Amino acid sequence: MVAPEAPWRPVRALEHQGIIAWRGVDAVTLLTVYLVLLMAVPSAIRITALGELGRPSLVWGVVLFGWWVISRLQAQALDVAPVSQPIRFAFVALLVIALVSFAAAMLRGQPADQISPATTAVIRLLSWAGVLFTAMDGIRTMNDLKRMLRRIGIAAGLLAGLGVAQAVSGQSFIDFFGSIPGLSGIEGGDGSVAERGGFARSSGTALHPLEYATALNAALPFVIAAGISHGFRFERGKGSVIWWVPVALIAISALLGVSRSAIIGLAVASLLMIPAFPRRARGWVIGGGATLVVAVIVAVPGLFSLTSSLFVGAANDPSTQSRTGGLERAPEFVAASPFYGAGFGTFLPRYYIFDNQWVLIAVELGILGVLAFAAVIFTAIWSAMVARRQSGQADVRLIGHALAASVFTVALLFAFFDGLAFPMAGGLLFLIIGLCGSVRTIGAADAALGSALVPAANRRLS
């Protein structure tokens, strides 16, 4: 029973009464379809008839945007009262800057081959908006949030398993997608497995090994959290081992990937999740992780020496030199339009490849764009951590911690490649950011519920 003084009907109370229900289709179901299209369908595959706009996940994201608009127009009176969402303001600011930049670029005039990529980039932003807003406003109960996170964890585990199989066999196993009627691949997306130093570099269903590593490391905190809580059910002895299998697969895939970025992402995500473990278990976790690393190194001769050379000889590595050179050249590109940039999606690889999403945003969207994107990242982490602090529930605290760790890890990895140019990395990031907004709503509702249950006499005395 909720006290009359409560500012809104708490989410958990409504959840138990079965009152919360979005008209039409469930948000978790729609987002699950998006997740499948994003991670199960190869990023190189598109619907032939739609050309550059034919990536299935992009199309479904636009559908989600339309569904979100209709849902908001038909919001029920019994819905939970809205909580202020800094993420929404930050993302809308980013979207407005991108539109202004796009309009300015079109007014200046662009080469014919830049107009289509710029238009596609804006539509991609609208697609991500649909994903973000659907997750933030459509998932309002802990049951739904846990279901979504479990599905992300399962998808990441399966993707990691595919990557390990690719690394061992040297085969992609996804070539058949290109032969499906109505679908076609893009240039450079032939499904072949890349190599470095004689080792196969897995990419799963992603376009590039870095995109693949980013997706796995983004999901790693959720899989670890599921392992801690036994699938977010907080039941002793149920599923406690199963959820550590995808953790091991993600770690093995990162180690076999022969990639600095993958290893850095694995280390950062893992270290950020250590505080989430009970104190008595942290030593066992660190020891188990170290044992797994040693086992992989022993089982794969030559892996340790090659991986070590990536870090020891990083200064002379071509990819490191390219990134360093990009930082040196960035000011001359930014100077052409320092405030709102050259236009989102107009800076093609033929001009320069920065291998740094933050620098690329500075060039395409200017200083304002960098600030807006940084605000999206910061508000996402802030929202998750505030929910962790507000709620007295163990599940909210753990999930808030995992969401913040995930967003931070992706933001860091974006300094090593232009992540938003890759559908899986960008799509998963904005899905997770939307979930940060969702857990903020749930955390605020928990705080309100706790306040509402305090006896009125005690509140008057305080």
Side-chain angles (χ1 to χ4, degrees):
M1 184 171 125
V2 179
E5 298 88 349
W8 59 67
R9 297 174 186 266
V11 173
R12 289 177 187 269
L14 291 180
E15 180 180 354
H16 295 318
Q17 296 172 28
I19 294 177
I20 288 182
W22 283 67
R23 291 182 179 179
V25 186
D26 175 59
V28 175
T29 301
L30 291 173
L31 290 170
T32 301
V33 173
Y34 178 79
L35 184 66
V36 171
L37 295 176
L38 187 69
M39 300 184 73
V41 178
S43 297
I45 294 297
R46 63 188 179 190
I47 302 170
T48 306
L50 297 179
E52 294 296 327
L53 297 174
R55 283 197 172 95
S57 60
L58 185 150
V59 174
W60 192 252
V62 174
V63 172
L64 288 178
F65 184 79
W67 181 85
W68 173 80
V69 171
I70 294 172
S71 298
R72 299 314 296 160
L73 292 175
Q74 297 180 348
Q76 303 177 44
L78 287 176
D79 277 345
V80 178
V83 180
S84 63
Q85 293 283 7
I87 296 173
R88 193 190 314 277
F89 298 114
F91 184 82
V92 169
L94 177 65
L95 183 59
V96 169
I97 293 169
L99 292 175
V100 169
S101 178
F102 173 79
M106 294 302 106
L107 289 174
R108 286 195 303 267
Q110 298 292 319
D113 63 343
Q114 287 186 188
I115 296 176
S116 178
T119 304
T120 301
V122 172
I123 296 176
R124 193 164 65 243
L125 263 181
L126 292 176
S127 175
W128 289 334
V131 175
L132 189 155
F133 292 147
T134 298
M136 182 165 57
D137 296 328
I139 298 179
R140 295 191 168 192
T141 70
M142 277 307 298
N143 282 342
D144 284 349
L145 182 57
K146 290 175 184 178
R147 284 167 56 205
M148 195 68 237
L149 291 177
R150 279 196 292 266
R151 292 174 186 184
I152 293 175
I154 292 171
L158 294 174
L159 186 63
L162 173 62
V164 171
Q166 289 176 338
V168 172
S169 67
Q171 303 295 319
S172 69
F173 302 110
I174 57 173
D175 301 340
F176 66 92
F177 276 95
S179 61
I180 298 176
L183 300 181
S184 59
I186 64 173
E187 184 179 353
D190 56 0
S192 60
V193 178
E195 287 190 8
R196 172 181 280 179
F199 288 90
R201 298 188 68 192
S202 304
S203 57
T205 56
L207 279 173
H208 192 276
L210 287 180
E211 179 188 21
Y212 169 73
T214 300
L216 293 185
N217 286 320
L220 180 59
F222 310 142
V223 185
I224 293 176
I228 294 173
S229 62
H230 311 322
F232 299 118
R233 291 182 175 87
F234 289 84
E235 297 175 4
R236 293 183 180 275
K238 185 174 181 179
S240 57
V241 176
I242 292 176
W243 282 101
W244 293 108
V245 173
V247 173
L249 288 174
I250 291 173
I252 293 171
S253 182
L255 294 172
L256 295 178
V258 197
S259 168
R260 283 186 301 268
S261 300
I263 294 174
I264 290 173
L266 175 68
V268 170
S270 301
L271 289 173
L272 289 176
M273 287 303 296
I274 287 178
F277 284 89
R279 290 182 181 275
R280 63 181 181 277
R282 292 174 187 173
W284 289 100
V285 170
I286 295 173
T291 301
L292 177 63
V293 172
V294 172
V296 173
I297 290 174
V298 171
V300 185
L303 179 63
F304 179 74
S305 59
L306 179 58
T307 303
S308 300
S309 67
L310 295 177
F311 290 91
V312 175
N316 299 320
D317 184 73
S319 61
T320 302
Q321 293 175 347
S322 174
R323 292 185 178 98
T324 304
L327 293 176
E328 295 174 352
R329 294 201 59 186
E332 69 180 82
F333 291 109
V334 174
S337 182
F339 294 105
Y340 50 80
F344 190 57
T346 62
F347 195 84
L348 302 181
R350 69 165 178 256
Y351 298 123
Y352 199 86
I353 299 177
F354 289 108
D355 279 333
N356 187 321
Q357 183 60 57
W358 293 92
V359 174
L360 185 58
I361 290 176
V363 173
E364 292 189 335
L365 296 179
I367 297 173
L368 295 177
V370 173
L371 292 176
F373 186 67
V376 172
I377 297 297
F378 174 79
T379 54
I381 296 174
W382 178 86
S383 296
M385 295 307 292
V386 165
R388 184 179 183 277
R389 177 177 55 82
Q390 286 182 324
S391 178
Q393 304 293 331
D395 50 1
V396 177
R397 294 175 63 84
L398 179 60
I399 288 173
H401 186 105
L403 285 167
S406 175
V407 174
F408 181 87
T409 301
V410 176
L412 175 65
L413 291 177
F414 272 18
F416 300 104
F417 80 120
D418 48 336
L420 294 184
F422 296 87
M424 189 183 296
L428 193 57
L429 171 64
F430 286 104
L431 172 59
I432 294 169
I433 289 174
L435 296 178
C436 289
S438 173
V439 79
R440 167 160 168 71
T441 299
I442 294 169
D446 279 350
L449 178 59
S451 175
L453 295 178
V454 175
N458 289 349
R459 289 201 295 272
R460 284 196 297 270
L461 288 174
S462 61

mmCIF file with all atom_site columns, all heavy atoms in Angstrom, residues 188-209:
data_model
loop_
_atom_site.group_PDB
_atom_site.id
_atom_site.type_symbol
_atom_site.label_atom_id
_atom_site.label_alt_id
_atom_site.label_comp_id
_atom_site.label_asym_id
_atom_site.label_entity_id
_atom_site.label_seq_id
_atom_site.pdbx_PDB_ins_code
_atom_site.Cartn_x
_atom_site.Cartn_y
_atom_site.Cartn_z
_atom_site.occupancy
_atom_site.B_iso_or_equiv
_atom_site.pdbx_formal_charge
_atom_site.auth_seq_id
_atom_site.auth_comp_id
_atom_site.auth_asym_id
_atom_site.auth_atom_id
_atom_site.pdbx_PDB_model_num
ATOM 1   N N   . GLY A 1 188 ? 34.164 -5.225  -48.733 1.00 0.00 ? 188 GLY A N   1
ATOM 2   C CA  . GLY A 1 188 ? 35.068 -5.459  -47.612 1.00 0.00 ? 188 GLY A CA  1
ATOM 3   C C   . GLY A 1 188 ? 34.467 -6.339  -46.533 1.00 0.00 ? 188 GLY A C   1
ATOM 4   O O   . GLY A 1 188 ? 35.125 -6.639  -45.541 1.00 0.00 ? 188 GLY A O   1
ATOM 5   N N   . GLY A 1 189 ? 33.197 -6.740  -46.720 1.00 0.00 ? 189 GLY A N   1
ATOM 6   C CA  . GLY A 1 189 ? 32.549 -7.581  -45.729 1.00 0.00 ? 189 GLY A CA  1
ATOM 7   C C   . GLY A 1 189 ? 32.320 -8.980  -46.244 1.00 0.00 ? 189 GLY A C   1
ATOM 8   O O   . GLY A 1 189 ? 31.197 -9.486  -46.249 1.00 0.00 ? 189 GLY A O   1
ATOM 9   N N   . ASP A 1 190 ? 33.380 -9.623  -46.710 1.00 0.00 ? 190 ASP A N   1
ATOM 10  C CA  . ASP A 1 190 ? 33.257 -10.944 -47.326 1.00 0.00 ? 190 ASP A CA  1
ATOM 11  C C   . ASP A 1 190 ? 33.214 -12.082 -46.311 1.00 0.00 ? 190 ASP A C   1
ATOM 12  O O   . ASP A 1 190 ? 33.103 -13.248 -46.661 1.00 0.00 ? 190 ASP A O   1
ATOM 13  C CB  . ASP A 1 190 ? 34.410 -11.185 -48.301 1.00 0.00 ? 190 ASP A CB  1
ATOM 14  C CG  . ASP A 1 190 ? 35.780 -11.034 -47.648 1.00 0.00 ? 190 ASP A CG  1
ATOM 15  O OD1 . ASP A 1 190 ? 35.830 -10.744 -46.433 1.00 0.00 ? 190 ASP A OD1 1
ATOM 16  O OD2 . ASP A 1 190 ? 36.796 -11.194 -48.350 1.00 0.00 ? 190 ASP A OD2 1
ATOM 17  N N   . GLY A 1 191 ? 33.315 -11.734 -45.028 1.00 0.00 ? 191 GLY A N   1
ATOM 18  C CA  . GLY A 1 191 ? 33.233 -12.765 -43.997 1.00 0.00 ? 191 GLY A CA  1
ATOM 19  C C   . GLY A 1 191 ? 34.534 -13.485 -43.718 1.00 0.00 ? 191 GLY A C   1
ATOM 20  O O   . GLY A 1 191 ? 34.573 -14.399 -42.903 1.00 0.00 ? 191 GLY A O   1
ATOM 21  N N   . SER A 1 192 ? 35.615 -13.109 -44.367 1.00 0.00 ? 192 SER A N   1
ATOM 22  C CA  . SER A 1 192 ? 36.894 -13.769 -44.129 1.00 0.00 ? 192 SER A CA  1
ATOM 23  C C   . SER A 1 192 ? 37.457 -13.375 -42.773 1.00 0.00 ? 192 SER A C   1
ATOM 24  O O   . SER A 1 192 ? 37.140 -12.312 -42.235 1.00 0.00 ? 192 SER A O   1
ATOM 25  C CB  . SER A 1 192 ? 37.890 -13.387 -45.234 1.00 0.00 ? 192 SER A CB  1
ATOM 26  O OG  . SER A 1 192 ? 38.100 -11.988 -45.260 1.00 0.00 ? 192 SER A OG  1
ATOM 27  N N   . VAL A 1 193 ? 38.275 -14.254 -42.207 1.00 0.00 ? 193 VAL A N   1
ATOM 28  C CA  . VAL A 1 193 ? 38.863 -14.018 -40.895 1.00 0.00 ? 193 VAL A CA  1
ATOM 29  C C   . VAL A 1 193 ? 40.246 -13.400 -41.081 1.00 0.00 ? 193 VAL A C   1
ATOM 30  O O   . VAL A 1 193 ? 41.100 -13.957 -41.776 1.00 0.00 ? 193 VAL A O   1
ATOM 31  C CB  . VAL A 1 193 ? 38.961 -15.339 -40.104 1.00 0.00 ? 193 VAL A CB  1
ATOM 32  C CG1 . VAL A 1 193 ? 39.622 -15.104 -38.750 1.00 0.00 ? 193 VAL A CG1 1
ATOM 33  C CG2 . VAL A 1 193 ? 37.575 -15.938 -39.924 1.00 0.00 ? 193 VAL A CG2 1
ATOM 34  N N   . ALA A 1 194 ? 40.475 -12.245 -40.459 1.00 0.00 ? 194 ALA A N   1
ATOM 35  C CA  . ALA A 1 194 ? 41.763 -11.553 -40.582 1.00 0.00 ? 194 ALA A CA  1
ATOM 36  C C   . ALA A 1 194 ? 42.833 -12.280 -39.774 1.00 0.00 ? 194 ALA A C   1
ATOM 37  O O   . ALA A 1 194 ? 42.525 -13.110 -38.901 1.00 0.00 ? 194 ALA A O   1
ATOM 38  C CB  . ALA A 1 194 ? 41.617 -10.114 -40.111 1.00 0.00 ? 194 ALA A CB  1
ATOM 39  N N   . GLU A 1 195 ? 44.079 -11.958 -40.053 1.00 0.00 ? 195 GLU A N   1
ATOM 40  C CA  . GLU A 1 195 ? 45.202 -12.574 -39.342 1.00 0.00 ? 195 GLU A CA  1
ATOM 41  C C   . GLU A 1 195 ? 46.173 -11.508 -38.845 1.00 0.00 ? 195 GLU A C   1
ATOM 42  O O   . GLU A 1 195 ? 46.266 -10.423 -39.407 1.00 0.00 ? 195 GLU A O   1
ATOM 43  C CB  . GLU A 1 195 ? 45.955 -13.545 -40.260 1.00 0.00 ? 195 GLU A CB  1
ATOM 44  C CG  . GLU A 1 195 ? 45.221 -14.839 -40.543 1.00 0.00 ? 195 GLU A CG  1
ATOM 45  C CD  . GLU A 1 195 ? 46.110 -15.848 -41.247 1.00 0.00 ? 195 GLU A CD  1
ATOM 46  O OE1 . GLU A 1 195 ? 47.325 -15.573 -41.372 1.00 0.00 ? 195 GLU A OE1 1
ATOM 47  O OE2 . GLU A 1 195 ? 45.607 -16.902 -41.649 1.00 0.00 ? 195 GLU A OE2 1
ATOM 48  N N   . ARG A 1 196 ? 46.873 -11.844 -37.771 1.00 0.00 ? 196 ARG A N   1
ATOM 49  C CA  . ARG A 1 196 ? 47.979 -11.011 -37.284 1.00 0.00 ? 196 ARG A CA  1
ATOM 50  C C   . ARG A 1 196 ? 49.014 -11.937 -36.670 1.00 0.00 ? 196 ARG A C   1
ATOM 51  O O   . ARG A 1 196 ? 48.707 -12.668 -35.720 1.00 0.00 ? 196 ARG A O   1
ATOM 52  C CB  . ARG A 1 196 ? 47.494 -9.978  -36.256 1.00 0.00 ? 196 ARG A CB  1
ATOM 53  C CG  . ARG A 1 196 ? 48.646 -9.217  -35.592 1.00 0.00 ? 196 ARG A CG  1
ATOM 54  C CD  . ARG A 1 196 ? 48.160 -8.223  -34.560 1.00 0.00 ? 196 ARG A CD  1
ATOM 55  N NE  . ARG A 1 196 ? 47.690 -6.983  -35.169 1.00 0.00 ? 196 ARG A NE  1
ATOM 56  C CZ  . ARG A 1 196 ? 47.188 -5.958  -34.472 1.00 0.00 ? 196 ARG A CZ  1
ATOM 57  N NH1 . ARG A 1 196 ? 47.073 -6.060  -33.162 1.00 0.00 ? 196 ARG A NH1 1
ATOM 58  N NH2 . ARG A 1 196 ? 46.786 -4.869  -35.094 1.00 0.00 ? 196 ARG A NH2 1
ATOM 59  N N   . GLY A 1 197 ? 50.216 -11.904 -37.231 1.00 0.00 ? 197 GLY A N   1
ATOM 60  C CA  . GLY A 1 197 ? 51.288 -12.728 -36.693 1.00 0.00 ? 197 GLY A CA  1
ATOM 61  C C   . GLY A 1 197 ? 51.012 -14.211 -36.763 1.00 0.00 ? 197 GLY A C   1
ATOM 62  O O   . GLY A 1 197 ? 51.482 -14.973 -35.919 1.00 0.00 ? 197 GLY A O   1
ATOM 63  N N   . GLY A 1 198 ? 50.214 -14.640 -37.745 1.00 0.00 ? 198 GLY A N   1
ATOM 64  C CA  . GLY A 1 198 ? 49.898 -16.048 -37.872 1.00 0.00 ? 198 GLY A CA  1
ATOM 65  C C   . GLY A 1 198 ? 48.701 -16.508 -37.059 1.00 0.00 ? 198 GLY A C   1
ATOM 66  O O   . GLY A 1 198 ? 48.321 -17.681 -37.131 1.00 0.00 ? 198 GLY A O   1
ATOM 67  N N   . PHE A 1 199 ? 48.087 -15.603 -36.293 1.00 0.00 ? 199 PHE A N   1
ATOM 68  C CA  . PHE A 1 199 ? 46.915 -15.935 -35.498 1.00 0.00 ? 199 PHE A CA  1
ATOM 69  C C   . PHE A 1 199 ? 45.667 -15.327 -36.142 1.00 0.00 ? 199 PHE A C   1
ATOM 70  O O   . PHE A 1 199 ? 45.690 -14.192 -36.631 1.00 0.00 ? 199 PHE A O   1
ATOM 71  C CB  . PHE A 1 199 ? 47.039 -15.397 -34.073 1.00 0.00 ? 199 PHE A CB  1
ATOM 72  C CG  . PHE A 1 199 ? 48.034 -16.140 -33.231 1.00 0.00 ? 199 PHE A CG  1
ATOM 73  C CD1 . PHE A 1 199 ? 49.369 -15.747 -33.200 1.00 0.00 ? 199 PHE A CD1 1
ATOM 74  C CD2 . PHE A 1 199 ? 47.651 -17.238 -32.476 1.00 0.00 ? 199 PHE A CD2 1
ATOM 75  C CE1 . PHE A 1 199 ? 50.299 -16.429 -32.434 1.00 0.00 ? 199 PHE A CE1 1
ATOM 76  C CE2 . PHE A 1 199 ? 48.576 -17.924 -31.699 1.00 0.00 ? 199 PHE A CE2 1
ATOM 77  C CZ  . PHE A 1 199 ? 49.892 -17.521 -31.682 1.00 0.00 ? 199 PHE A CZ  1
ATOM 78  N N   . ALA A 1 200 ? 44.578 -16.080 -36.132 1.00 0.00 ? 200 ALA A N   1
ATOM 79  C CA  . ALA A 1 200 ? 43.311 -15.591 -36.665 1.00 0.00 ? 200 ALA A CA  1
ATOM 80  C C   . ALA A 1 200 ? 42.726 -14.559 -35.703 1.00 0.00 ? 200 ALA A C   1
ATOM 81  O O   . ALA A 1 200 ? 42.694 -14.782 -34.489 1.00 0.00 ? 200 ALA A O   1
ATOM 82  C CB  . ALA A 1 200 ? 42.340 -16.746 -36.855 1.00 0.00 ? 200 ALA A CB  1
ATOM 83  N N   . ARG A 1 201 ? 42.279 -13.436 -36.264 1.00 0.00 ? 201 ARG A N   1
ATOM 84  C CA  . ARG A 1 201 ? 41.640 -12.383 -35.467 1.00 0.00 ? 201 ARG A CA  1
ATOM 85  C C   . ARG A 1 201 ? 40.131 -12.489 -35.671 1.00 0.00 ? 201 ARG A C   1
ATOM 86  O O   . ARG A 1 201 ? 39.603 -12.131 -36.713 1.00 0.00 ? 201 ARG A O   1
ATOM 87  C CB  . ARG A 1 201 ? 42.138 -11.003 -35.874 1.00 0.00 ? 201 ARG A CB  1
ATOM 88  C CG  . ARG A 1 201 ? 43.622 -10.784 -35.666 1.00 0.00 ? 201 ARG A CG  1
ATOM 89  C CD  . ARG A 1 201 ? 43.970 -9.333  -35.911 1.00 0.00 ? 201 ARG A CD  1
ATOM 90  N NE  . ARG A 1 201 ? 43.406 -8.467  -34.889 1.00 0.00 ? 201 ARG A NE  1
ATOM 91  C CZ  . ARG A 1 201 ? 43.363 -7.140  -34.988 1.00 0.00 ? 201 ARG A CZ  1
ATOM 92  N NH1 . ARG A 1 201 ? 43.803 -6.539  -36.086 1.00 0.00 ? 201 ARG A NH1 1
ATOM 93  N NH2 . ARG A 1 201 ? 42.835 -6.414  -34.022 1.00 0.00 ? 201 ARG A NH2 1
ATOM 94  N N   . SER A 1 202 ? 39.445 -12.944 -34.654 1.00 0.00 ? 202 SER A N   1
ATOM 95  C CA  . SER A 1 202 ? 38.001 -13.145 -34.766 1.00 0.00 ? 202 SER A CA  1
ATOM 96  C C   . SER A 1 202 ? 37.278 -11.810 -34.860 1.00 0.00 ? 202 SER A C   1
ATOM 97  O O   . SER A 1 202 ? 37.676 -10.810 -34.258 1.00 0.00 ? 202 SER A O   1
ATOM 98  C CB  . SER A 1 202 ? 37.483 -13.910 -33.539 1.00 0.00 ? 202 SER A CB  1
ATOM 99  O OG  . SER A 1 202 ? 38.170 -15.125 -33.390 1.00 0.00 ? 202 SER A OG  1
ATOM 100 N N   . SER A 1 203 ? 36.186 -11.810 -35.602 1.00 0.00 ? 203 SER A N   1
ATOM 101 C CA  . SER A 1 203 ? 35.297 -10.651 -35.630 1.00 0.00 ? 203 SER A CA  1
ATOM 102 C C   . SER A 1 203 ? 33.843 -11.065 -35.430 1.00 0.00 ? 203 SER A C   1
ATOM 103 O O   . SER A 1 203 ? 32.963 -10.207 -35.439 1.00 0.00 ? 203 SER A O   1
ATOM 104 C CB  . SER A 1 203 ? 35.453 -9.895  -36.956 1.00 0.00 ? 203 SER A CB  1
ATOM 105 O OG  . SER A 1 203 ? 35.201 -10.748 -38.058 1.00 0.00 ? 203 SER A OG  1
ATOM 106 N N   . GLY A 1 204 ? 33.590 -12.366 -35.221 1.00 0.00 ? 204 GLY A N   1
ATOM 107 C CA  . GLY A 1 204 ? 32.228 -12.804 -34.998 1.00 0.00 ? 204 GLY A CA  1
ATOM 108 C C   . GLY A 1 204 ? 31.333 -12.416 -36.154 1.00 0.00 ? 204 GLY A C   1
ATOM 109 O O   . GLY A 1 204 ? 31.616 -12.720 -37.316 1.00 0.00 ? 204 GLY A O   1
ATOM 110 N N   . THR A 1 205 ? 30.270 -11.687 -35.853 1.00 0.00 ? 205 THR A N   1
ATOM 111 C CA  . THR A 1 205 ? 29.389 -11.156 -36.891 1.00 0.00 ? 205 THR A CA  1
ATOM 112 C C   . THR A 1 205 ? 29.645 -9.676  -37.132 1.00 0.00 ? 205 THR A C   1
ATOM 113 O O   . THR A 1 205 ? 28.892 -9.033  -37.870 1.00 0.00 ? 205 THR A O   1
ATOM 114 C CB  . THR A 1 205 ? 27.918 -11.358 -36.498 1.00 0.00 ? 205 THR A CB  1
ATOM 115 O OG1 . THR A 1 205 ? 27.683 -10.740 -35.219 1.00 0.00 ? 205 THR A OG1 1
ATOM 116 C CG2 . THR A 1 205 ? 27.567 -12.831 -36.415 1.00 0.00 ? 205 THR A CG2 1
ATOM 117 N N   . ALA A 1 206 ? 30.696 -9.131  -36.513 1.00 0.00 ? 206 ALA A N   1
ATOM 118 C CA  . ALA A 1 206 ? 31.006 -7.709  -36.659 1.00 0.00 ? 206 ALA A CA  1
ATOM 119 C C   . ALA A 1 206 ? 31.794 -7.461  -37.940 1.00 0.00 ? 206 ALA A C   1
ATOM 120 O O   . ALA A 1 206 ? 32.289 -8.386  -38.587 1.00 0.00 ? 206 ALA A O   1
ATOM 121 C CB  . ALA A 1 206 ? 31.790 -7.223  -35.446 1.00 0.00 ? 206 ALA A CB  1
ATOM 122 N N   . LEU A 1 207 ? 31.919 -6.185  -38.290 1.00 0.00 ? 207 LEU A N   1
ATOM 123 C CA  . LEU A 1 207 ? 32.692 -5.811  -39.470 1.00 0.00 ? 207 LEU A CA  1
ATOM 124 C C   . LEU A 1 207 ? 34.187 -5.916  -39.225 1.00 0.00 ? 207 LEU A C   1
ATOM 125 O O   . LEU A 1 207 ? 34.958 -6.170  -40.143 1.00 0.00 ? 207 LEU A O   1
ATOM 126 C CB  . LEU A 1 207 ? 32.347 -4.371  -39.889 1.00 0.00 ? 207 LEU A CB  1
ATOM 127 C CG  . LEU A 1 207 ? 31.075 -4.162  -40.712 1.00 0.00 ? 207 LEU A CG  1
ATOM 128 C CD1 . LEU A 1 207 ? 30.809 -2.669  -40.877 1.00 0.00 ? 207 LEU A CD1 1
ATOM 129 C CD2 . LEU A 1 207 ? 31.188 -4.828  -42.066 1.00 0.00 ? 207 LEU A CD2 1
ATOM 130 N N   . HIS A 1 208 ? 34.601 -5.670  -37.987 1.00 0.00 ? 208 HIS A N   1
ATOM 131 C CA  . HIS A 1 208 ? 36.023 -5.565  -37.676 1.00 0.00 ? 208 HIS A CA  1
ATOM 132 C C   . HIS A 1 208 ? 36.282 -6.155  -36.292 1.00 0.00 ? 208 HIS A C   1
ATOM 133 O O   . HIS A 1 208 ? 35.405 -6.106  -35.412 1.00 0.00 ? 208 HIS A O   1
ATOM 134 C CB  . HIS A 1 208 ? 36.448 -4.080  -37.713 1.00 0.00 ? 208 HIS A CB  1
ATOM 135 C CG  . HIS A 1 208 ? 37.914 -3.859  -37.681 1.00 0.00 ? 208 HIS A CG  1
ATOM 136 N ND1 . HIS A 1 208 ? 38.631 -3.831  -36.509 1.00 0.00 ? 208 HIS A ND1 1
ATOM 137 C CD2 . HIS A 1 208 ? 38.810 -3.647  -38.683 1.00 0.00 ? 208 HIS A CD2 1
ATOM 138 C CE1 . HIS A 1 208 ? 39.904 -3.613  -36.775 1.00 0.00 ? 208 HIS A CE1 1
ATOM 139 N NE2 . HIS A 1 208 ? 40.041 -3.504  -38.087 1.00 0.00 ? 208 HIS A NE2 1
ATOM 140 N N   . PRO A 1 209 ? 37.479 -6.713  -36.069 1.00 0.00 ? 209 PRO A N   1
ATOM 141 C CA  . PRO A 1 209 ? 37.801 -7.258  -34.746 1.00 0.00 ? 209 PRO A CA  1
ATOM 142 C C   . PRO A 1 209 ? 37.647 -6.255  -33.607 1.00 0.00 ? 209 PRO A C   1
ATOM 143 O O   . PRO A 1 209 ? 37.271 -6.641  -32.493 1.00 0.00 ? 209 PRO A O   1
ATOM 144 C CB  . PRO A 1 209 ? 39.266 -7.701  -34.897 1.00 0.00 ? 209 PRO A CB  1
ATOM 145 C CG  . PRO A 1 209 ? 39.406 -8.031  -36.346 1.00 0.00 ? 209 PRO A CG  1
ATOM 146 C CD  . PRO A 1 209 ? 38.545 -7.032  -37.061 1.00 0.00 ? 209 PRO A CD  1
#
